[in-house]
Amino acid sequence: MKYGHFDDRNREYIIETPHTPLPWINYLGVNDFHSLISNTLGGYSFFKDAKLRRITRYRYNNVPRDISGRFFYIKDGETIFNIGYLPCKTPLDYYVCRHGLSYSIFQAKKNDLDVTLTAFVPLKDSCEINKIEIVNNSKEEKDISLYGVVEFCLYNAVDDANNYQRNLNIAEVEIDDTTIYHKTEYRERRNHYAFYHVSRKHDGFDTDRNTFLGLENGFDSPEAIQKGTSYNSVVSDCYPIASHQLNLHLKPGEKQTLVFMLGFIENKQEEKFVSKGIINKKKAQELIAKYDDVCNVDKALAELKEYWDNLLAHFQVSTGDEKFNRMANIWNQYQCMVTYMMSRSASYFETGTGRGMGFRDSCQDLLGFVHMIPEKARERIIDIASIQFEDGSTYHQYQPLTKRGNADIGSGFNDDPLWLVGAVCAYIKETGDYSILEEMVPFDNKVGSEKTLYDHLLISLNYTIHNLGPHGLPLIGRADWNDCLNLNCFSLTDGESFQTVENNDTHTAESIFIAGMFVKYGKEFVQLAQHLDKQTDSNYILEYTKVIEENTVKYGFDYEGGYFIRAYDAYSKEIGSSRCPEGKIFIEPQGFCTLARIGQEQGLGKKAVQNSLKYLLNDYGCEILYPPYSQYYPEYGEISSYPEGTKENGSVFNHNNPWLTLALCEENMAEEAFDLYKRNAPAYIEDISDIHQTEPYVYSQMIAGRASKQYGRAKNSWLTGSASWSFVALSEGILGVIPDYDGLRIRPCLPKEMKEVTIDRLYRKKKFHISVHHTGAPYKMKLNGKEVEGNLLRAEQCLDDNIVEIDM
Ligand code: GLC
Ligand code: GLC
C-alpha cells in the first residue's frame, strides 16, 4: 500500500494522508540552521548542533506521537483545525504534504478555506520561514483567527530534559508587537537568543505554556484557542513558548499572505545588550525586515531550488527505468547530502543528544557527497582527521559545535582509522587535489601536534599493522564496522555499554572484515604513494597487504562453507563459519574481501558472493547474518542482544548490501547485482509502505529479517551509511562511472534490460556526456569521436565538454 506518490518533475514526494505509519520527515536548512519537519508539521530546529543549540523542544517516545512542532491553528467559528492535521486531529477536507529538496509544502482545505504553507530555511540566513497563504473560497465574509505556536527548548537539549530544579526557574522573554524573543540564559553566558515572529502586528500573544494550554490540556486543545483569545502571558520561570494570534477578516475570494519566522541570533559579547537587561535586536530586526517582504521569501526559495539544481547537475542519468532514475537523480543524492549535514546526530530515531558526528560514519558518508561538494568534503576530512590520536586510533565521534572528540564513547573501534584512508583516496580520485595530503593536521586537536594528512594515513594503516592477532589478522578492539560485535566486552552487568566496556581484552579477537578493509584501502594507498614517488612507503604497505591477504586466504576463508569467515573471538574460535551452530555466515566480509580481491586467483570472491545470495537473500535484500543468534552470548556482545531478525542480529542492514552489489559487479554478475539493488532501494518498495513503514523516498538503516515477527518493517530512516554506499553501488557499480587517480573510469555492469543509458557527469570541473549502447557487443569506448584503449578517460585527454560513447 502507498500513502502518496513521487513527483519527479518537481523532485517531490507527495504524501496524500496524515495517517502515514510513522511520521514521514524532511530536513530543512543546508548550512547552520536546521529543522526536522514531519508530514504533520512536527519536528524541531537547532543551530549547528542538535545537542548544544536546540532551539525548539521535541519529545521523543511521546504519545500521541509527534506533537511537538511548529503548529498553526485556524479557528473558524466553532471549528479549530491545524494546517498539518495534528495536534487537533480535526478531519480536513483536503490534505497534502509535499516534501521537496530542503523545503516542504502543506496544503489543507477546511470550511472553504484553502491554506498553503511553505516551510524552508533560506540558504544564507539562520531562520525557518513558514509562509502561509489563506484563501476564502466561500461566498461569505469570514472572520477567523490564526495562531502560530512553537515551544522553546533551553538550548542544551540534554539539560533541558533533565535539570528541572534549575530549568523551571530561568525562562525569560521579551515581546513586541510582532516578535517574541526567547532569551533564557542570555543574561549570563549565552550570546545567542531565538525569536518567533509574524509579519503583521499580532492581536494577542502567549509565552507561558501553562497559561496558553490551560491546566489540563495538551496541544490538541489549547485553552487560549478554544476560548478564542490570547492571555498575553509573559513567562518568567518555566515553559517558554511563543504564540501569535492574528484575527483575519477575509472577503469572499480574498487571499492573505503571512510570514512566520523562527530565527536564531548570535551577538558579540560587547554587543549583547542595548540597555540593562534589554537584548540587542539589531540582527533579528534586519532578518525580520528582509522576510516581511514576501518577494524576498519567494526569492530565497528560488535560490534554494537553484542550489539543488546545481548540486544535482553533477550527476544525472537516464536509463529507461523510472525508479532507478528517481533514486539516482534525486533521492539518493539528496539523502547523501543530509547524511553529510547530520551524520547520525538528529532524526526521528537519533535524538540529536547522543552521537554527534561519527568518525567512520562521516568518512563513509563522504563517498556519497564528494562529487557534489568537494570543498566541503575537504574541510570534513580535516575535521575528522583532527580527532585522531598519535598512535592512529581515533575518537569514535565528535560534536559538530566544538569539533572535539567525544570522550564518553572514546576510541578503540579498530576499523575507524582505515575509513580515513578510504575517504581521502576517494576525495583525491574525485578531485585530483593531492595538495590535501600536505595539510598540517593535529592529533586530538592539540596545537603543536600537527603532521601532514599524508602522515595521518600512514599512521592509520600502521595502526592495523601494529595490532595484529594470533592469525596475523587485524585485532577487532571494541568492535569493527559492526558496532555490536563486541568480542572483548563479556558484559554480565545490566545497563553496561557494550561499546565502551572491555571486561576481557585478551588481544586475541580478530576481524576478517578489517582484513578486507586493510587490503582494499592499503592497495589504494599504495597507488597514491607511488603517484607521489614515495617508494619506501608504497613497498612497505604493499608488503603488508600481501601478508594480510595471505593470512585471510589461509585463516579467513571457510572452504567447506565456501565464504569468508567473519571473525575470531577472544578464545580464537571462529565466528561466521559453517562450523558455528548459529551465525554461520555474515555479510560484511563477503562484500569487502571480494572488493579487496582477496584470493582472486582461487575464485574466493565469486564463491563468497554466490553463497551470500544462497544463505542471506530475502525479499528485501541480504540479511547481515544467518541464522540469527537465539540467545545472549557474552563472548559476542550486543549482536546477540537483539531479538532474531532485528538490527545487527539478522535484519537486512541496508548499509552493507551495496558492498555485495559492488562485489557482484566486480564478479560481472550484472543481473544479480541489479536484482539485489532493487530489493531495498526505496523507490522500488514504495508499494509496500504499510509493511516497510518508513519514508519511501529514503533508505532506512535496517529492514527486519525473516526471523523477525515484523518481517519487512524498516527502522532508523534517513541517517544511515546506506545512502552513500547505495549511491556508490548505483553510480560506480551498476553504471560503472568510477573516479580514479588518473581520470574517470567507465565500466558499466548493466542488467540486460538497460539497453540505452546516458549519464551526465561533472568531474574535475569538466563535463562528460556519456552514452552507453548496451547490446552485449565487446566493450569499445570513444572519447570525442576517437577510440580509447581500455576504460579510462585520462584527465589530460579530456576537454571542458566531452562526448563519450560506449558500445558494449
Ligand atoms: C550504525 C552505526 C555505524 C555502524 C552500524 C553497524 O549504522 O552508525 O557506525 O557501522 O550501525 O553496527
Ligand atoms: C547500537 C546499534 C548500532 C549502532 C550503535 C551506535 O549498537 O545497534 O546499530 O551503530 O548502537 O552506538
Side-chain angles (χ1 to χ4, degrees):
M1 182 180 159
K2 299 205 294 183
Y3 300 87
H5 63 273
F6 287 96
D7 174 351
D8 295 338
R9 237 178 92 92
N10 290 308
R11 297 174 169 157
E12 291 172 352
Y13 191 82
I14 304 191
I15 304 170
E16 292 153 5
T17 165
H19 312 293
T20 45
L22 291 166
W24 282 0
I25 72 163
N26 193 12
Y27 286 83
L28 312 179
V30 295
N31 282 310
D32 294 336
F33 189 105
H34 298 280
S35 298
L36 282 65
I37 187 164
S38 74
N39 60 318
T40 48
L41 282 161
Y44 60 91
S45 304
F46 61 93
F47 182 77
K48 282 190 184 167
D49 192 310
K51 177 177 176 185
L52 301 173
R53 293 284 185 273
R54 183 78 62 105
I55 298 168
T56 48
R57 195 173 264 164
Y58 193 82
R59 293 178 191 80
Y60 283 88
N61 267 338
N62 206 5
V63 280
R65 71 184 197 187
D66 202 27
I67 42 165
S68 323
R70 74 288 281 148
F71 291 131
F72 296 95
Y73 301 78
I74 293 176
K75 182 169 164 66
D76 176 20
E78 289 306 298
T79 315
I80 300 172
F81 68 95
N82 292 107
I83 299 177
Y85 176 72
L86 286 182
C88 286
K89 295 196 284 188
T90 307
L92 298 169
D93 299 335
Y94 176 80
Y95 159 98
V96 138
C97 161
R98 292 156 52 192
H99 282 323
L101 306 182
S102 301
Y103 69 86
S104 293
I105 297 177
F106 298 79
Q107 283 165 289
K109 289 185 194 171
K110 184 80 192 168
N111 293 1
D112 292 324
L113 287 165
D114 202 333
V115 196
T116 305
L117 182 155
T118 306
F120 70 101
V121 172
L123 272 181
K124 296 181 201 107
D125 291 312
S126 291
C127 58
E128 178 183 320
I129 289 182
N130 298 155
K131 179 177 98 169
I132 297 180
E133 296 160 283
I134 305 186
V135 184
N136 175 8
N137 274 329
S138 76
K139 304 227 156 52
E140 276 112 57
E141 311 217 335
K142 273 189 185 273
D143 282 296
I144 60 169
S145 303
L146 166 68
Y147 296 78
V149 184
V150 296
E151 180 176 5
F152 291 114
C153 181
L154 306 186
Y155 301 116
N156 180 325
V158 174
D159 199 67
D160 183 70
N162 290 312
N163 192 4
Y164 300 114
Q165 61 80 27
R166 170 177 163 81
N167 293 342
L168 298 187
N169 296 288
I170 60 176
E172 287 190 292
V173 292
E174 284 182 37
I175 303 151
D176 63 30
D177 285 344
T178 57
T179 311
I180 292 162
Y181 298 88
H182 175 224
K183 62 172 189 178
T184 300
E185 288 189 341
Y186 189 83
R187 64 187 284 125
E188 27 116 353
R189 293 154 301 165
R190 290 194 185 277
N191 292 2
H192 55 85
Y193 61 82
F195 65 87
Y196 189 57
H197 164 79
V198 61
S199 57
R200 219 204 63 189
K201 190 173 177 316
H202 57 215
D203 298 296
F205 64 87
D206 273 296
T207 65
D208 181 59
R209 191 183 78 196
N210 289 357
T211 308
F212 173 72
L213 293 179
L215 267 188
E216 284 150 9
N217 297 6
F219 280 97
D220 59 339
S221 54
E223 193 180 282
I225 300 179
Q226 287 185 329
K227 296 213 166 132
T229 178
S230 287
Y231 296 104
N232 297 349
S233 57
V234 182
V235 72
S236 65
D237 52 353
C238 37
Y239 306 133
I241 61 158
S243 158
H244 294 290
Q245 178 189 354
L246 299 169
N247 300 332
L248 308 178
H249 179 80
L250 290 155
K251 295 199 198 82
E254 186 184 345
K255 171 174 158 183
Q256 292 192 16
T257 304
L258 299 148
V259 180
F260 285 81
M261 186 199 292
L262 175 70
F264 181 86
I265 298 294
E266 284 181 311
N267 277 332
K268 291 205 188 100
Q269 177 67 28
E270 59 283 8
E271 293 172 2
K272 279 179 70 170
F273 299 99
V274 288
S275 60
K276 190 161 186 215
I278 304 301
I279 65 177
N280 181 348
K281 305 185 183 69
K282 187 162 171 282
K283 289 187 186 169
Q285 280 157 354
E286 283 166 10
L287 261 189
I288 285 169
K290 180 169 173 188
Y291 293 110
D292 271 358
D293 180 347
V294 181
C295 290
N296 285 334
V297 172
D298 296 341
K299 219 162 89 193
L301 183 62
E303 275 168 19
L304 188 64
K305 290 192 177 165
E306 199 184 313
Y307 169 82
W308 279 107
D309 285 346
N310 288 336
L311 284 184
L312 297 180
H314 292 213
F315 182 84
Q316 287 292 297
V317 311
S318 154
T319 62
D321 180 328
E322 185 188 44
K323 293 176 180 166
F324 190 86
N325 296 350
R326 183 176 285 157
M327 291 314 307
N329 295 338
I330 309 168
W331 294 99
N332 197 174
Q333 295 197 74
Y334 181 48
Q335 189 178 4
C336 287
M337 283 298 291
V338 172
T339 62
Y340 155 69
M341 293 183 274
M342 300 289 136
S343 189
R344 304 295 170 271
S345 89
S347 74
Y348 267 30
F349 301 90
E350 306 277 6
T351 60
T353 61
R355 299 178 54 184
M357 312 293 280
F359 187 99
R360 80 156 82 87
D361 296 328
S362 291
C363 284
Q364 293 171 85
D365 292 344
L366 185 135
L367 306 175
F369 65 76
V370 62
H371 69 288
M372 285 185 272
I373 45 165
E375 328 72 46
K376 303 266 187 199
R378 196 181 205 276
E379 274 174 50
R380 179 58 58 81
I381 286 174
I382 306 296
D383 288 346
I384 297 172
S386 304
I387 61 164
Q388 189 168 26
F389 296 111
E390 288 182 59
D391 71 348
S393 65
T394 80
Y395 278 113
H396 196 47
Q397 293 158 5
Y398 69 94
Q399 250 348 95
L401 191 70
T402 61
K403 297 192 174 173
R404 296 296 142 123
N406 175 352
D408 295 345
I409 176 105
S411 77
F413 298 81
N414 282 355
D415 62 318
D416 271 337
L418 294 173
W419 291 115
L420 181 65
V421 181
V424 174
C425 292
Y427 169 79
I428 295 176
K429 288 176 177 180
E430 176 66 34
T431 60
D433 170 22
Y434 287 87
S435 76
I436 192 173
L437 295 170
E438 290 149 34
E439 287 290 331
M440 298 301 286
V441 184
F443 293 92
D444 191 11
N445 278 296
K446 291 206 177 79
V447 180
S449 68
E450 294 83 358
K451 284 200 173 152
T452 63
L453 183 64
Y454 177 84
D455 286 332
H456 277 259
L457 300 190
L458 203 53
I459 290 168
S460 296
L461 290 157
N462 260 323
Y463 181 78
T464 305
I465 294 171
H466 295 157
N467 286 283
L468 296 176
H471 299 91
L473 294 166
L475 291 172
I476 196 168
R478 287 179 170 171
D480 59 18
W481 172 87
N482 191 327
D483 265 332
C484 300
L485 201 56
N486 316 117
L487 306 184
N488 300 311
C489 172
F490 289 86
S491 179
L492 294 173
T493 306
D494 61 73
E496 213 166 54
S497 157
F498 290 105
Q499 263 101 42
T500 56
V501 171
E502 289 161 13
N503 290 317
N504 181 28
D505 190 358
T506 55
H507 293 273
T508 306
E510 296 166 299
S511 160
I512 286 133
F513 171 74
I514 301 183
M517 274 188 88
F518 181 87
V519 176
K520 175 168 159 57
Y521 292 132
K523 285 180 186 166
E524 293 188 18
F525 176 86
V526 166
Q527 284 179 295
L528 190 70
Q530 276 167 2
H531 195 279
L532 302 170
D533 253 338
K534 305 227 184 213
Q535 217 43 57
T536 321
D537 297 342
S538 127
N539 290 344
Y540 166 64
I541 297 300
L542 185 63
E543 188 194 314
Y544 270 98
T545 60
K546 286 189 184 142
V547 170
I548 293 184
E549 178 165 356
E550 269 167 36
N551 294 339
T552 307
V553 170
K554 237 196 207 149
Y555 306 112
F557 199 82
D558 171 357
Y559 289 87
E560 284 162 48
Y563 49 81
F564 291 96
I565 297 170
R566 178 62 176 86
Y568 285 96
D569 71 12
Y571 308 111
S572 258
K573 278 181 20 205
E574 290 172 352
I575 297 182
S577 91
S578 55
R579 294 167 286 270
C580 303
E582 308 190 299
K584 286 170 180 292
I585 172 170
F586 280 65
I587 196 172
E588 302 99 313
Q590 319 312 335
F592 244 80
C593 294
T594 305
L595 290 179
R597 313 206 125 262
I598 291 178
Q600 201 190 344
E601 297 94 72
Q602 298 101 302
L604 299 191
K606 181 132 215 155
K607 277 192 201 135
V609 295
Q610 281 168 338
N611 283 316
S612 302
L613 296 181
K614 180 169 165 198
Y615 297 113
L616 299 174
L617 194 67
N618 73 24
D619 297 311
Y620 311 107
C622 279
E623 291 167 357
I624 193 169
L625 62 84
Y626 180 81
Y629 296 112
S630 61
Q631 63 175 78
Y632 176 56
Y633 296 92
E635 66 273 33
Y636 298 162
E638 186 173 359
I639 194 164
S640 60
S641 74
Y642 287 110
E644 291 95 310
T646 51
K647 292 284 275 176
E648 279 87 342
N649 191 19
S651 74
V652 172
F653 230 80
N654 287 325
H655 187 137
N656 46 32
N657 271 249
W659 300 344
L660 210 55
T661 307
L662 286 160
L664 288 162
C665 292
E666 193 73 33
E667 297 296 335
N668 291 317
M669 295 167 70
E671 302 305 326
E672 289 85 349
F674 189 50
D675 173 71
L676 180 60
Y677 171 80
K678 286 188 294 190
R679 283 179 196 243
N680 50 41
Y684 290 89
I685 50 177
E686 187 198 6
D687 288 345
I688 55 149
S689 292
D690 50 331
I691 299 173
H692 198 63
Q693 300 205 341
T694 52
E695 296 90 335
Y697 37 92
V698 290
Y699 283 93
S700 296
Q701 181 200 52
M702 58 144 270
I703 304 171
R706 288 165 291 182
S708 163
K709 295 188 186 75
Q710 314 288 357
Y711 180 43
R713 182 175 292 184
K715 294 271 174 59
N716 300 7
S717 59
W718 280 100
L719 303 187
T720 154
S722 317
S724 58
W725 277 108
S726 296
F727 183 71
V728 177
L730 168 162
S731 61
E732 299 191 22
I734 296 170
L735 297 175
V737 180
I738 309 169
D740 209 336
Y741 292 115
D742 297 322
L744 202 55
R745 206 174 277 290
I746 319 280
R747 195 181 66 201
C749 181
L750 300 173
K752 283 209 189 67
E753 65 191 79
M754 284 189 191
K755 298 219 177 324
E756 301 290 339
V757 171
T758 62
I759 303 151
D760 283 297
R761 177 74 153 90
L762 192 70
Y763 175 69
R764 299 192 190 173
K765 305 205 166 77
K766 294 180 175 166
K767 288 186 183 155
F768 292 83
H769 180 75
I770 305 162
S771 50
V772 186
H773 184 54
H774 182 217
T775 56
Y779 182 96
K780 203 163 77 193
M781 176 161 74
K782 279 192 199 155
L783 169 63
N784 299 319
K786 278 200 222 105
E787 200 165 316
V788 181
E789 279 273 325
N791 58 18
L792 180 69
L793 300 166
R794 298 195 149 270
E796 66 273 12
Q797 293 173 340
C798 299
L799 311 172
D800 286 345
D801 239 308
N802 299 281
I803 306 283
V804 181
E805 295 154 284
I806 294 173
D807 272 301
M808 61 178 284

